[in-house]
Amino acid sequence: MNKPEVNTQHNVETPHGVLHVTLHGTRTTRRPAILTFHDVGLDSKSCFSPLFKFEEMQEIVKNFTLIHIDAPGQEEGAAAYPTGYQYPSMETIAEMIPAVLQFFNFRTVIGVGVGAGAYILSKFTLANPDSVEGLVLINIDTNARGWIDWAAQKLSSVTSSLTEQILSHLFSQEELSSNTDLVQSHRERISKASNLINIELLWKTYNSRRDLNIDRNCTFKCPVMLVVGDQAPYEDAAVECNSKLDPTTTSFLKVTNSYVFLFSPAKLTEAFKYFIQGMGYMASSCMTRLSRSRTTSLSSSYSMDGSRSRSRTLSQGSQGGQMPPSPSQTMEVSC
């Protein structure tokens, strides 16, 4: 008999303060939990609901426990921090995550992070490689801000409101110029947030991040899937990150919009299922092939018994793609 699903909120004590965490799904420790971390200007609900409520994602939701972490003071309805409050650094927030795993009695997780959340999960993974079985990094920037970026940010802080600065982090210039309903809804939500001072503190902390110093000799020990939106503010940074990672354990997925959860949930869901299958989970899951453009290629090394076979390239028109690729692959998809 299946255990009932739970959807509960918790305040988890850590060595560096309290984290608001939402637990969802079938509570089981036989598989890693899927642990998410949101971006600046969002909380776990506004960031991940479009993806994990997507119909085709329910197969994953039913098979894994979801642990959604809110950065300090970012959860909906959080009280505003007092003037002069010392907000934790990116490194400190990453150091709070092990206490969450211990609280829920999970030994390992599959991390899913967006923007600032992707950076935090990267820090956590580098410091705790045995705790992470796989990592999905969306719109990641592993670099510290350079002097030019720092100067541009200083100028922006004078000429633009906090809300507009964050919107330019979340959306491409084209999307901002179009001023879509989605952009307008986020503008209204952020500008009217009761914890706007908290959002500003996280924004400043993220902009003060240090370089992760990732390269082929100092990298993640687990499979990684990088996802970035076409013309997203951090598209170049994600491409650069991809060049620094081990190509035999890295997948790279490019989608057409910056806000990948809302505009490309089907593509992201299917890629995520392939990613999970490559780690040996959900082997019986029903799959369809990812749509491929003329420029798409899929280079992978796999065999039916899970052992490595010779590498081959599947281009448009190939009849490949019927088997889920293992983590030992580099995948570039434009969809």
PDB file of all heavy atoms in Angstrom, residues 3 89 127 165 200 261 332:
ATOM      1  N   LYS A   3       2.237   4.926   0.698  1.00  0.00           N
ATOM      2  CA  LYS A   3       2.109   5.873   1.785  1.00  0.00           C
ATOM      3  C   LYS A   3       1.423   7.135   1.278  1.00  0.00           C
ATOM      4  O   LYS A   3       1.614   7.529   0.129  1.00  0.00           O
ATOM      5  CB  LYS A   3       3.487   6.216   2.353  1.00  0.00           C
ATOM      6  CG  LYS A   3       4.178   5.035   3.019  1.00  0.00           C
ATOM      7  CD  LYS A   3       5.527   5.462   3.586  1.00  0.00           C
ATOM      8  CE  LYS A   3       6.226   4.297   4.248  1.00  0.00           C
ATOM      9  NZ  LYS A   3       7.536   4.698   4.817  1.00  0.00           N
ATOM     10  N   SER A  89      25.871  35.158   3.792  1.00  0.00           N
ATOM     11  CA  SER A  89      26.498  35.106   2.473  1.00  0.00           C
ATOM     12  C   SER A  89      26.002  33.880   1.702  1.00  0.00           C
ATOM     13  O   SER A  89      25.338  33.000   2.267  1.00  0.00           O
ATOM     14  CB  SER A  89      28.017  35.021   2.617  1.00  0.00           C
ATOM     15  OG  SER A  89      28.380  33.787   3.233  1.00  0.00           O
ATOM     16  N   ALA A 127      31.040  21.226  -1.651  1.00  0.00           N
ATOM     17  CA  ALA A 127      31.458  20.973  -0.276  1.00  0.00           C
ATOM     18  C   ALA A 127      30.975  19.623   0.254  1.00  0.00           C
ATOM     19  O   ALA A 127      31.572  19.074   1.184  1.00  0.00           O
ATOM     20  CB  ALA A 127      30.947  22.087   0.635  1.00  0.00           C
ATOM     21  N   GLN A 165      15.623  46.086 -11.347  1.00  0.00           N
ATOM     22  CA  GLN A 165      16.905  45.389 -11.360  1.00  0.00           C
ATOM     23  C   GLN A 165      16.699  43.875 -11.321  1.00  0.00           C
ATOM     24  O   GLN A 165      17.351  43.135 -12.058  1.00  0.00           O
ATOM     25  CB  GLN A 165      17.746  45.818 -10.156  1.00  0.00           C
ATOM     26  CG  GLN A 165      18.217  47.254 -10.187  1.00  0.00           C
ATOM     27  CD  GLN A 165      18.909  47.632  -8.887  1.00  0.00           C
ATOM     28  OE1 GLN A 165      19.850  46.971  -8.461  1.00  0.00           O
ATOM     29  NE2 GLN A 165      18.449  48.691  -8.239  1.00  0.00           N
ATOM     30  N   GLU A 200      15.852  42.532  -1.151  1.00  0.00           N
ATOM     31  CA  GLU A 200      16.997  43.380  -1.469  1.00  0.00           C
ATOM     32  C   GLU A 200      18.283  42.843  -0.844  1.00  0.00           C
ATOM     33  O   GLU A 200      19.353  42.867  -1.471  1.00  0.00           O
ATOM     34  CB  GLU A 200      16.749  44.802  -0.989  1.00  0.00           C
ATOM     35  CG  GLU A 200      17.882  45.773  -1.332  1.00  0.00           C
ATOM     36  CD  GLU A 200      17.595  47.195  -0.898  1.00  0.00           C
ATOM     37  OE1 GLU A 200      16.650  47.395  -0.106  1.00  0.00           O
ATOM     38  OE2 GLU A 200      18.310  48.117  -1.342  1.00  0.00           O
ATOM     39  N   PHE A 261      10.338  27.499 -16.764  1.00  0.00           N
ATOM     40  CA  PHE A 261       9.304  26.682 -16.149  1.00  0.00           C
ATOM     41  C   PHE A 261       7.937  26.916 -16.778  1.00  0.00           C
ATOM     42  O   PHE A 261       7.149  25.998 -16.932  1.00  0.00           O
ATOM     43  CB  PHE A 261       9.220  26.982 -14.644  1.00  0.00           C
ATOM     44  CG  PHE A 261      10.434  26.564 -13.888  1.00  0.00           C
ATOM     45  CD1 PHE A 261      10.856  27.286 -12.790  1.00  0.00           C
ATOM     46  CD2 PHE A 261      11.169  25.460 -14.271  1.00  0.00           C
ATOM     47  CE1 PHE A 261      11.976  26.901 -12.074  1.00  0.00           C
ATOM     48  CE2 PHE A 261      12.288  25.067 -13.577  1.00  0.00           C
ATOM     49  CZ  PHE A 261      12.704  25.787 -12.474  1.00  0.00           C
ATOM     50  N   GLU A 332      23.060  18.892 -26.321  1.00  0.00           N
ATOM     51  CA  GLU A 332      22.724  20.270 -26.631  1.00  0.00           C
ATOM     52  C   GLU A 332      21.428  20.279 -27.419  1.00  0.00           C
ATOM     53  O   GLU A 332      21.364  19.752 -28.514  1.00  0.00           O
ATOM     54  CB  GLU A 332      23.843  20.933 -27.430  1.00  0.00           C
ATOM     55  CG  GLU A 332      25.147  21.025 -26.656  1.00  0.00           C
ATOM     56  CD  GLU A 332      26.183  21.813 -27.392  1.00  0.00           C
ATOM     57  OE1 GLU A 332      25.838  22.383 -28.440  1.00  0.00           O
ATOM     58  OE2 GLU A 332      27.326  21.873 -26.922  1.00  0.00           O
TER      59      GLU A 332
END
